[in-house]
Amino acid sequence: MSSLAVTGFAHVLAHALIFLIGAAVGSFLNVVIYRLPRRESLIAPRSRCLSCGEGLGVIDLIPVLSYVILGGRCRHCKRSYSARYMTVELFTGLTALGALYALGPTLHALLAFIAVACLIVIFFIDLDHFIIPDETVAIVATVGLILDIGALMSQGRSVAVVFHEMLTPELTYEVVLPMSLVGMAVGAGLFVVIAYVSERFFKRPGMGWGDVKLAAAMGAMLGPGYQFLSFFLIAVFVGAVIGIVCMAAGWCARGDYIPFGPMLALSGIAMIYFGDYITPVVMSRFMIG
Ligand SMILES: [Zn+2]
């Protein structure tokens, strides 16, 4: 084999390995999605068939492949599993590759993937239970703060919010605020206003506290600027499209509650990886000149 072929093979192997690690994380996320809203332990007992209670063995725990090999059925009672388990594993595997593709083999990529994994959990739990667990939001916010601290240490005040506060004509202070903290405040503030307005004037709950907290966490990730605005606009756009498709297909009626968390989660995943590419495209659609 030529050295080029060897490098190519190693390249493919590394990517397959990253995908498999991601899919294995997805397998854990399935457990979190099921157990966290029920307040069950995430560690013990080990996963078992929800139908016959038989514990899952090594074969059952191979992500994606086990579903394909076993035809989506329990080895013992033959009851079929929801295809969602495999979908979560597949998608989480792809987002692990996405982290590598977008951010390279860096600590930044690993942290971003952790935040994305939380957003995948939020997507499904909010879809099922109309709640966004605080733990998941707290992890996203923490990742945002850590990444911001890293950016501040390497790039200094160019990544901070800086302004001059004049107390008296002679006394002017320079105020330096971390982007993540301002982002949190702006994100939460914007969503509180929307939640208040939609409840007060449109008499329908447009947003819950979970959405407000998630917006704060994404504000920590994206900062208070156009990245956050793009994140919000994409979520609204996706929500509107899904709402229209849902009503047109007769899956839901006008006035049915559609949780906003899943749209925020999808938009958040895209923005965390590809915000630098997406934001200019989105903003050029909305800004004139
Ligand atoms: Zn079974």
Side-chain angles (χ1 to χ4, degrees), residues 11-279:
H11 192 71
V12 170
L13 201 66
H15 281 72
L17 191 65
I18 296 286
F19 173 80
L20 279 179
I21 292 169
V25 171
S27 175
F28 175 66
L29 296 188
N30 274 320
V31 175
V32 175
I33 290 164
Y34 184 83
R35 293 186 184 177
L36 191 57
R38 294 172 173 82
R39 292 288 146 198
E40 295 173 10
S41 163
L42 301 182
I43 304 155
R46 72 194 172 104
S47 300
R48 47 191 65 249
C49 171
L50 290 175
S51 182
C52 66
E54 197 69 45
L56 299 186
V58 178
I59 297 177
D60 309 289
L61 294 175
I62 304 168
V64 185
L65 267 182
S66 72
Y67 188 87
V68 177
I69 292 168
L70 300 170
R73 287 171 189 284
C74 172
R75 272 190 299 139
H76 307 282
C77 68
K78 304 295 175 207
R79 207 189 98 124
S80 64
Y81 290 129
S82 163
R84 180 206 272 194
Y85 294 110
M86 193 199 60
T87 308
V88 170
E89 290 170 357
L90 201 62
F91 187 67
T92 311
L94 289 176
T95 57
L97 281 178
L100 186 68
Y101 177 75
L103 303 163
T106 56
L107 181 63
H108 186 165
L110 178 65
L111 288 166
F113 174 66
I114 290 171
V116 164
C118 288
L119 291 173
I120 294 172
V121 169
I122 289 170
F123 178 94
F124 286 104
I125 291 182
D126 199 20
L127 206 60
D128 290 345
H129 305 276
F130 299 156
I131 53 164
I132 299 175
D134 285 344
E135 294 89 335
T136 54
V137 177
I139 295 172
V140 175
T142 305
V143 168
L145 293 174
I146 292 171
L147 288 175
D148 194 31
I149 291 169
L152 277 170
M153 290 199 308
S154 64
Q155 296 167 66
R157 43 193 294 147
S158 66
V159 292
V161 178
V162 184
F163 62 92
H164 298 272
E165 187 177 354
M166 193 166 72
L167 297 180
T168 67
E170 294 80 36
L171 204 56
T172 305
Y173 286 103
E174 192 178 65
V175 184
V176 181
L177 295 171
M179 199 83 92
S180 52
L181 292 185
V182 182
M184 272 177 116
V186 169
L190 175 69
F191 274 54
V192 163
V193 169
I194 295 169
Y196 178 78
V197 168
S198 65
E199 255 181 59
R200 182 81 173 70
F201 296 103
F202 298 104
K203 303 286 179 218
R204 50 187 299 181
M207 254 175 246
W209 270 108
D211 297 319
V212 172
K213 286 184 265 188
L214 178 54
M218 286 307 298
M221 286 291 304
L222 302 173
Y226 290 134
Q227 292 242 8
F228 186 86
L229 190 55
S230 299
F231 154 73
F232 174 65
L233 292 174
I234 291 169
V236 170
F237 179 75
V238 171
V241 169
I242 289 175
I244 289 165
V245 169
C246 246
M247 278 195 280
W251 295 328
C252 56
R254 202 178 173 79
D256 272 2
Y257 181 70
I258 301 173
F260 195 40
M263 322 332 172
L264 292 172
L266 280 183
S267 175
I269 291 168
M271 287 303 297
I272 286 173
Y273 286 162
F274 304 110
D276 293 346
Y277 307 98
I278 295 171
T279 307

